[in-house]
Amino acid sequence: MLGPCAAGLLIPVRRALLNPEPANRPDRDRWDIDVTDITAPQLKADILRHLTFTLGKDAAHASVYDWRMALSYAIRDRIVEPWFASTRKTWETGAKRVYYLSMEFLIGRILEDATINLGLRDMAETVMADLGQDFRTLIEDEPDAALGNGGLGRLAACFMESMATVGCPAYGYGIRYEHGLFRQRFEGGRQVETPEDWLTQRHPWEFERPEAAYTIGFKGEIVTRDGREVWVPGETVLAEAHDTPVVGWQGKWANTLRLWAAKPTTLFDLERFNRGDYAAAAEPEALARTLSRVLYPDDTTYQGKELRLKQEFFLTSAALQDILRRFKTGGHPITDLPNHVAIQMNDTHPAIAGPELIRLLVDEHGLEFEPALDIARACLGYTNHTLLPEALERWATFTFGNVLPRHMQIVERIDAWHKAKYPSRPHYVGIVKHHEVRMGELAFLMSHKVNGVSALHSDLVKKNLFPELHALHPDQIINQTNGVTPRRWLKMCNRPLSGLITDTIGAGWEADLDRLRELEPHVADTGFRTAFGAAKRQNKVALAEWMAGHCGVTVSPDALFDVQIKRIHEYKRQLLNILETIARWNAIRENPTADWVPRVKIFGGKSAPGYAVAKEIIHLINDVAQVVNTDPLVGDRLKVVYPANYNVSMAERLIPAADLSEQISTAGKEASGTGNMKFMLNGAPTIGTLDGANVEILHEVGAENFFLFGLTADQVVKRREDPDHSRHAIEASQTLQDVLQMIAEGRFSPEEPGRYHALVHRVWHHDYFLVAADFDAYLAAQAEVDTAYADRDRWLAMAAMNTARSGFFSSDRTIRGYMADIWSVTSAL
Ligand code: 26V
């Protein structure tokens, strides 16, 4: 469709630059849209037209912002055609659609990604240069759309791009938060949060749809009408749609991300206004808007806040009403719903979809309870993303029944139906227990498939999370190992390496990532390895420059860049990493003339605002950085850098420049990880435990290209049986004793020597995440890393093998798995 060869995206750009006439193309059928069918002069004219008529700016006075907007609108124009074509084709073929419900979409920037998928990136750069503008500056002017906390939200964003790439007709449904994830600053080494405000500037990628709005009810009471129970809500808000088109690789398909903004159902109380009571008059508006005001920043502990439950219902009800409205225009009987609609629940956050769909089918479509339940279960799928008990959602029946009285009734009915159908179900299993509604059980019972996100995790979902339900429904739990989109996480963020890959194996790997295996034979070739090393070095030089500017720390690009970036959480064990850093510092000071492999320890990540222990760990990392980085005895042999406000865009900088990927969670705790996959793609070997998708990374890359250490998930459970496991581990390790002693004595906090007493005490006496037990093994693995890195040839081969064997971790593969095993949907391409 893009012309005769796969290089169709690259060649037309250059040809177009030379020749302003659009290329003559043979007749194409009506779906066959060539998104590269534009010349540089045309693109330039589009940009200037938007600058003038959309932004009302004269080129002579346009700012970076104006130019970015003009370019964004010009690029967005190119997406509209494939977007319409995709929608039309879905309608005309009556294809089944997928609806991905997620409270989070951690998108990041859109502009460069869109130009890449449209094959217009280089043209855009040239045209902007022609207009006197630096493309990179424009790209970096765009704020991140940070509508998510971490892995779960970023996965949803990768899935949206992959569904568009593989031609899966799909809608993403989420909330258009006015404020995304908070901004992080460090003050005296402590995390300080400030609100994020990505929408204060215009968001050029969305189309507002005031005509697509639904009423969402809360609270109120149940009344009986014509012998049926009906819900009369006590409060209502309006959910208004905002659509962002998501275009896939080479623009062959585009889907919609539909985000809901809350609006009041009545604008304001005119009577109160006329009485002069202005604040009270505006109350309905203020109340409604709080619903889509801010993303909950805590992905570690479930808190049972009423507003959160309301947000979840707001998203879910708006989505389901929209889905049913669209379905009805097709004229099929309602019993046909599962043949046309697949709904995926991204964790339990939208798990109210089960009861809400039943409510809509029963109360508004007149179905009986059981047929409605069968239809709902046939449509719904549930993805579990965590086993951590403190993150599992459960609502007090009091709160749940108050906010959603009709749904409370339905939940009880679902529970009773299941118990009646499976009388052998143990008494302690069920949705409503101990005055709580358990959302995991609800999602399980209302789905036809439940999936985990890595092989190990899916096993643990069966064994530890839902053992009884698994016994009753042995085919329900399946695995779909996560993936990441190689367009953003290799092609876009790592131009030196992706250029080398294309030069070596040709184009086309972007949408067929298994083709990276073709790199393997080249790994033995010195020329290739050197080029691989040069690409990595180029990224490291760029990162070093950026860190000097942003963190004031100068590092050598020849040092080993050791990177741990993710949310700060005890189970992810940033503490283990910083303890090893201190041990390394001690060792260097004891023997400064030894042949040290220089290291830069790079950390990135935010803590939930109320997570005190994680905040202590952040403080400790910054305190250690302060001491180590100013130690003249150590110099370049060790640096610690912790840039504030880690986000998607920062990840795009750090990952291509990483030599070593830190994936050191306590085994059994990290459901999958997706950062681990991004590092692998970009040629950074992993130091890691047998946890989450690390297990599969190890399997793909081979033990010789992975630094494995630590207790296994089973061993972790056994080790905890010894109540003194941490004391035993510490007493057996002089190195660890010394490190803990230094921290306890205030070596890194001389102005407040007792700052870390509690932290050290916890390692000695509780240490639930087994930092002490894994410490020596981690140190040994880090020593192996040093040895391997010192042998440049060996290291480059390891790094290149990681890229070559990363094909499995494309989210295209994951999406194809969901399509086949959960959604029963085929590609529309
Ligand atoms: C949990 C909660 C708890 C209740 C309130 C708000 C809230 C918001 C987000 C979360 C998310 C926790 C689950 C999560 O992010 N899991 C991560 O999912 C990734 C994608 O599957 C996976 O790679 C990570 O290992 C997993 O930690």
Side-chain angles (χ1 to χ4, degrees):
M1 126 171 173
L2 282 155
C5 62
L9 274 173
L10 297 172
I11 291 163
V13 174
R14 298 212 179 95
R15 185 177 57 211
L17 291 173
L18 300 172
N19 173 11
E21 292 302 311
N24 258 343
R25 283 158 206 278
D27 279 349
R28 289 176 258 120
D29 76 43
R30 47 187 304 223
W31 312 121
D32 194 8
I33 288 158
D34 188 341
V35 289
T36 65
D37 198 2
I38 181 173
T39 63
Q42 285 169 340
L43 181 62
K44 184 174 170 181
D46 284 355
I47 294 166
L48 288 170
R49 180 170 51 81
H50 277 297
L51 190 70
T52 311
F53 297 108
T54 310
L55 292 146
K57 274 289 168 99
D58 182 340
H61 305 291
S63 64
V64 165
Y65 168 79
D66 298 324
W67 284 114
R68 168 168 70 82
M69 285 293 149
L71 175 59
S72 300
Y73 285 122
I75 293 296
R76 189 183 73 171
D77 289 350
R78 310 299 307 168
I79 302 178
V80 169
E81 230 186 312
W83 190 30
F84 285 1
S86 303
T87 310
R88 273 201 305 270
K89 187 168 184 184
T90 307
W91 275 112
E92 293 187 10
T93 58
K96 185 172 180 180
R97 294 176 178 87
V98 169
Y99 295 99
Y100 197 82
L101 270 57
S102 179
M103 285 288 281
E104 307 192 3
F105 287 91
L106 187 42
I107 299 164
R109 292 179 177 140
I110 296 174
L111 175 54
E112 189 178 13
D113 190 55
T115 63
I116 294 250
N117 275 359
L118 294 170
L120 296 174
R121 191 210 167 277
D122 291 349
M123 188 194 285
E125 183 165 25
T126 311
V127 167
M128 291 321 300
D130 193 30
L131 290 164
Q133 301 301 313
D134 174 48
F135 184 65
R136 264 279 36 98
T137 306
L138 300 191
I139 293 298
E140 287 173 13
D141 182 59
E142 182 178 354
D144 272 37
L147 310 183
N149 273 288
L152 167 144
R154 184 52 235 176
L155 186 77
C158 282
F159 278 10
M160 286 306 296
E161 199 272 353
S162 273
M163 289 191 286
T165 290
V166 309
C168 172
Y171 287 76
Y173 281 117
I175 294 181
R176 185 177 178 274
Y177 300 108
E178 246 172 83
H179 303 283
L181 187 63
F182 64 85
R183 283 207 200 100
Q184 177 196 56
R185 272 187 301 122
F186 296 135
E187 257 175 37
R190 287 185 178 85
Q191 168 173 300
V192 177
E193 304 93 24
T194 54
E196 187 277 347
D197 58 357
W198 69 302
L199 286 177
T200 49
Q201 293 183 338
R202 247 207 275 192
H203 181 52
W205 301 103
E206 69 182 3
F207 295 89
E208 201 177 333
R209 307 284 191 213
E211 75 282 8
Y214 300 93
T215 304
I216 314 296
F218 302 102
K219 306 198 171 179
E221 54 188 4
I222 316 295
V223 297
T224 310
R225 271 189 210 141
D226 306 330
R228 280 182 170 264
E229 302 195 285
V230 197
W231 177 29
V232 182
E235 289 173 12
T236 54
V237 298
L238 223 52
E240 192 189 273
H242 290 69
D243 288 349
T244 301
V246 179
V247 67
W249 174 240
Q250 295 186 328
K252 293 180 188 176
W253 191 263
N255 288 319
T256 304
L257 174 60
R258 176 160 273 195
L259 301 180
W260 301 103
K263 292 272 167 71
T265 36
T266 49
L267 243 191
F268 64 75
D269 191 330
L270 192 59
E271 202 191 322
R272 278 170 153 174
F273 185 86
N274 288 338
R275 268 191 272 124
D277 197 352
Y278 305 119
E283 244 170 47
E285 168 147 34
L287 254 176
R289 286 191 195 280
T290 55
L291 267 183
S292 54
R293 177 95 71 202
V294 53
L295 164 82
Y296 269 84
D298 191 341
D299 65 347
T300 54
T301 43
Y302 152 79
Q303 300 201 312
K305 294 263 164 54
E306 183 180 296
L307 180 61
R308 168 81 186 181
L309 178 61
K310 283 180 153 184
Q311 285 187 333
E312 294 182 349
F313 182 66
F314 171 76
L315 156 70
T316 306
S317 179
L320 287 175
Q321 293 185 56
D322 200 37
I323 292 167
L324 288 180
R325 191 238 347 124
R326 192 172 297 112
F327 171 77
K328 277 186 270 175
T329 57
H332 309 281
I334 195 78
T335 46
D336 243 16
L337 193 71
N339 297 325
H340 295 270
V341 167
I343 302 169
Q344 194 64 26
M345 298 182 282
N346 197 22
D347 216 293
T348 56
H349 314 154
I352 193 68
E356 172 67 351
L357 186 48
I358 292 179
R359 182 188 73 85
L360 291 168
L361 294 176
V362 171
D363 295 1
E364 298 193 1
H365 290 80
L367 266 67
E368 292 303 320
F369 174 78
E370 280 212 29
L373 179 137
D374 289 340
I375 291 173
R377 290 189 70 228
C379 292
L380 289 163
Y382 156 47
T383 306
N384 173 279
H385 295 270
T386 184
L387 303 170
L388 298 184
E390 64 272 27
L392 295 178
E393 286 188 299
R394 56 214 145 72
W395 297 98
T397 47
F398 175 80
T399 309
F400 197 98
N402 179 38
V403 175
L404 300 169
R406 175 70 177 130
H407 299 78
M408 189 68 232
Q409 285 185 330
I410 295 173
V411 164
E412 273 159 355
R413 198 134 175 222
I414 297 167
D415 216 5
W417 158 82
H418 189 260
K419 177 69 187 167
K421 193 159 178 192
Y422 300 92
S424 66
R425 186 179 96 178
H427 67 89
Y428 54 88
V429 176
I431 306 174
V432 187
K433 293 283 156 195
H434 309 297
H435 308 289
E436 285 185 327
V437 182
R438 302 174 178 174
M439 299 306 267
E441 279 76 358
L442 173 62
F444 190 115
L445 296 188
M446 283 310 303
S447 300
H448 66 289
K449 284 284 183 261
V450 175
N451 75 284
V453 290
S454 72
L456 173 68
H457 171 67
S458 297
D459 276 351
L460 296 174
V461 170
K462 289 180 193 166
K463 274 194 218 128
N464 299 344
L465 191 60
F466 298 123
E468 301 86 359
L469 292 178
H470 175 55
L472 296 173
H473 305 271
D475 299 327
Q476 197 162 322
I477 303 177
I478 61 169
N479 176 243
Q480 297 293 343
T481 298
N482 283 167
V484 301
T485 165
R487 273 73 63 184
R488 181 180 289 264
W489 294 108
L490 181 52
K491 177 95 179 164
M492 183 183 101
C493 72
N494 195 343
R495 286 171 62 80
L497 181 56
S498 51
L500 173 64
I501 293 170
T502 303
D503 288 348
T504 310
I505 63 172
W509 53 269
E510 296 91 338
D512 183 6
L513 206 64
D514 290 325
R515 281 202 49 213
L516 291 182
R517 284 263 172 192
E518 292 169 27
L519 292 170
E520 261 192 52
H522 298 272
V523 175
D525 169 20
T526 318
F528 176 76
R529 280 203 306 271
T530 308
F532 198 95
K536 180 64 76 183
R537 194 166 195 286
Q538 200 179 325
N539 298 326
K540 290 172 70 175
V541 168
L543 179 62
E545 256 170 48
W546 180 83
M547 289 195 303
H550 280 76
C551 317
V553 185
T554 317
V555 305
S556 159
D558 295 314
L560 188 162
F561 284 16
D562 169 336
V563 185
Q564 186 171 23
I565 43 176
K566 48 186 82 246
R567 286 296 285 254
I568 310 298
H569 198 292
E570 288 165 277
Y571 83 80
K572 295 179 188 280
R573 298 200 295 192
Q574 282 91 356
L575 181 58
L576 179 58
N577 189 350
I578 199 67
L579 295 182
E580 191 268 343
T581 307
I582 297 171
R584 179 175 289 266
W585 180 60
N586 285 340
I588 295 171
R589 286 172 59 87
E590 269 166 32
N591 194 0
T593 55
D595 198 9
W596 293 101
V597 175
R599 275 232 195 193
V600 183
K601 287 265 187 181
I602 301 170
F603 292 85
K606 296 175 181 176
S607 156
Y611 190 173
V613 176
K615 287 186 144 178
E616 257 176 18
I617 294 169
I618 291 177
H619 200 178
L620 177 61
I621 296 170
N622 282 321
D623 277 349
V624 171
Q626 176 69 31
V627 172
V628 168
N629 294 346
T630 52
D631 182 350
L633 207 61
V634 171
D636 265 355
R637 280 162 287 198
L638 184 61
K639 294 279 182 209
V640 181
V641 194
Y642 191 169
N645 202 36
Y646 173 68
N647 59 10
V648 171
S649 294
M650 197 192 290
E652 290 164 9
R653 261 180 219 289
L654 295 179
I655 292 169
D659 291 307
L660 184 68
S661 160
E662 295 270 359
Q663 308 300 336
I664 59 178
S665 50
T666 312
K669 294 293 174 191
E670 189 68 270
S672 160
T674 44
N676 48 1
M677 302 168 186
K678 295 166 194 165
F679 283 103
M680 184 191 191
L681 239 67
N682 285 275
T686 303
I687 182 166
T689 49
L690 277 180
D691 200 14
N694 293 356
V695 177
E696 288 149 272
I697 289 179
L698 172 63
H699 173 78
E700 294 290 313
V701 83
E704 69 284 11
N705 299 307
F706 189 109
F707 300 94
L708 180 67
F709 77 96
L711 300 172
T712 64
D714 288 340
Q715 290 167 341
V716 162
V717 174
K718 286 226 176 62
R719 183 63 61 97
R720 284 207 192 102
E721 286 169 8
D722 170 8
D724 288 328
H725 62 80
S726 53
R727 191 169 54 79
H728 291 148
I730 297 167
E731 283 170 359
S733 169
Q734 188 60 49
T735 313
L736 181 54
Q737 274 173 51
D738 293 347
V739 168
L740 292 174
Q741 184 67 24
M742 289 169 75
I743 301 173
E745 281 173 358
R747 184 69 182 77
F748 304 99
S749 54
E751 67 283 18
E752 189 191 347
R755 184 176 289 162
Y756 299 111
H757 277 176
L759 189 143
V760 171
H761 185 270
R762 260 196 316 277
V763 179
W764 269 97
H765 300 287
H766 305 291
D767 196 23
Y768 182 74
F769 296 101
L770 293 132
V771 169
D774 272 345
F775 182 81
D776 280 356
Y778 180 56
L779 234 66
Q782 286 287 18
E784 275 178 50
V785 169
D786 287 326
T787 310
Y789 192 78
D791 180 349
R792 176 137 179 97
D793 236 26
R794 175 177 167 206
W795 186 268
L796 286 175
M798 287 181 83
M801 277 302 186
N802 268 270
T803 300
R805 295 176 176 174
S806 63
F808 180 73
F809 300 103
S810 167
S811 44
D812 300 348
R813 185 266 312 149
T814 313
I815 285 302
R816 291 198 177 97
Y818 278 77
M819 289 167 74
D821 305 341
I822 304 176
W823 301 333
S824 302
V825 171
T826 51
S827 167
L829 290 177

